[in-house]
Amino acid sequence: MQIRLDKYLADAGLGTRSTVRKIIKQGLVSVNGQFVRTPDHKVDITSASGVRVEVSGKEVVYEPVSYYILYKPAGILSASRDGRERTVVDLVPEPKRRDLFPVGRLDRDTVGLLLITNDGKLSNRLLAPGKHVEKIYRAVVAGRLPEDAEQRFQEGIDIGDETLTAPAGLRILGSMTKDRFDCCISEHGITAGSSDDFPEEVSEEDTLTEVEVTLTEGRYHQIKRMFEAMDCCVIFLKRLSMGGLLLPKDMRPGEVRKTGYDALVRELGILP
Ligand code: URA
């Protein structure tokens, strides 16, 4: 497969197409030892002997697709790029590709596992209706859960959409004290009541329950709306896993790790 030299350099994170065109025209780029000044010069990225592209004498490594695991911190928008505010893609360290996007979205106040890639095919596979891998979340819920909460999750809940939610898992882990809740949110840099995106401060009188939720679909604010339908309110939400891919225990909020396609599809438990 052949691609234009300007695309090769832009995909490798050297800058926008117009920036890399300038670099090429300045005569700083060589392909297999020959200086090239034309941005539409074709580079064979599948050639068996490999291609060596250098900018100012430094080799540029091209990867057609990249995969990152992010421990999404609170307060960051799940989007590709936004002119006004920082997004999850901005957390990926240099060299930065310009075509990265998150696979699905987590709400601004939700923390935990998020995949970032430029592989549209993998993303479509993971987000296609009926093909979602199981996603497990840990949540803290304020309010009294009904006795039959687990059964209602299993049967599907009316959250105001055309159809009930697909069968979902709910595991009640136990009650949570205000102190433990404060500790849990401060570990994630969340200050209760600091903005509309974050929960009001809880009081000693509030009933807090820690739960685990398993979903096989991804509707807008789904978990929050499922608990709202039971007159409860999600005040902390963290995604722990997607398929067999777990948020690594030694990762910290805001940390990004690069991974490879083979390891990723194996852990997600989907066919390559
Ligand atoms: N459900 C929600 O309500 N929010 C998320 O971010 C993810 C699932």
Side-chain angles (χ1 to χ4, degrees):
M1 183 187 162
Q2 295 198 324
I3 64 166
R4 290 170 56 116
L5 181 57
D6 54 359
K7 176 166 168 45
Y8 183 102
L9 295 176
D11 285 353
L14 267 85
T16 62
R17 285 268 194 125
S18 66
T19 315
V20 300
R21 273 183 209 133
K22 279 187 203 139
I23 301 175
I24 297 167
K25 286 179 182 162
Q26 282 166 359
L28 301 175
V29 182
S30 68
V31 178
N32 294 332
Q34 301 290 316
F35 283 96
V36 173
R37 284 173 180 266
T38 43
D40 63 355
H41 178 90
K42 294 289 185 303
V43 180
D44 186 355
I45 54 170
T46 45
S47 108
S49 51
V51 64
R52 186 176 176 91
V53 176
E54 292 179 352
V55 174
S56 302
K58 269 181 75 182
E59 187 177 7
V60 176
V61 179
Y62 177 81
E63 284 179 338
V65 279
S66 308
Y67 306 91
Y68 301 90
I69 290 170
L70 166 68
Y71 188 153
K72 181 191 170 296
I76 304 276
L77 191 67
S78 290
S80 302
R81 253 164 227 281
D82 185 279
R84 286 154 303 167
E85 62 176 298
R86 235 155 55 108
T87 70
V88 289
V89 164
D90 293 320
L91 301 177
V92 177
E94 300 289 339
K96 220 173 244 150
R97 309 185 57 113
R98 302 198 61 77
D99 51 359
L100 294 175
F101 55 84
V103 177
R105 284 166 192 263
L106 291 177
D107 296 339
R108 192 191 291 270
D109 57 347
T110 301
V111 300
L113 179 65
L114 187 64
L115 286 177
I116 296 184
T117 184
N118 62 331
D119 184 343
K121 209 168 139 206
L122 181 78
S123 172
N124 290 340
R125 158 65 189 83
L126 287 169
L127 300 178
K131 284 189 150 189
H132 280 243
V133 293
E134 270 190 0
K135 281 161 284 187
I136 299 183
Y137 296 81
R138 185 67 56 90
V140 180
V141 177
R144 286 204 181 279
L145 283 169
E147 300 251 308
D148 61 350
E150 287 116 320
Q151 193 185 334
R152 287 173 64 180
F153 263 63
Q154 195 53 48
E155 287 171 353
I157 295 182
D158 181 358
I159 56 172
D161 290 348
E162 277 181 10
T163 54
L164 298 185
T165 54
L170 173 64
R171 209 153 66 88
I172 297 174
L173 302 174
S175 58
M176 191 179 239
T177 61
K178 177 180 174 335
D179 279 355
R180 254 192 67 214
F181 174 69
D182 287 342
C183 184
C184 164
I185 61 169
S186 81
E187 272 171 20
H188 289 87
I190 300 171
T191 312
S194 63
S195 80
D196 287 350
D197 291 314
F198 293 110
E200 298 292 316
E201 275 199 68
V202 299
S203 75
E204 299 288 353
E205 287 75 52
D206 287 315
T207 305
L208 306 185
T209 310
E210 194 175 7
V211 298
E212 194 175 274
V213 175
T214 306
L215 295 186
T216 52
E217 52 182 355
R219 303 191 197 185
Y220 180 65
H221 289 338
Q222 180 163 348
I223 295 178
K224 291 175 183 160
R225 289 158 72 206
M226 289 171 87
F227 282 102
E228 266 165 32
M230 299 191 298
D231 295 322
C232 292
C233 177
V234 172
I235 55 172
F236 176 75
L237 187 58
K238 173 176 180 176
R239 182 150 73 191
L240 302 178
S241 65
M242 295 173 70
L245 176 70
L246 309 182
L247 179 68
K249 287 230 173 339
D250 60 346
M251 271 182 97
R252 302 267 63 89
E255 200 179 324
V256 180
R257 289 202 184 152
K258 201 162 200 278
T259 182
Y261 178 79
D262 291 342
L264 190 58
V265 294
R266 194 176 52 244
E267 290 190 50
L268 287 167
I270 59 174
L271 289 175

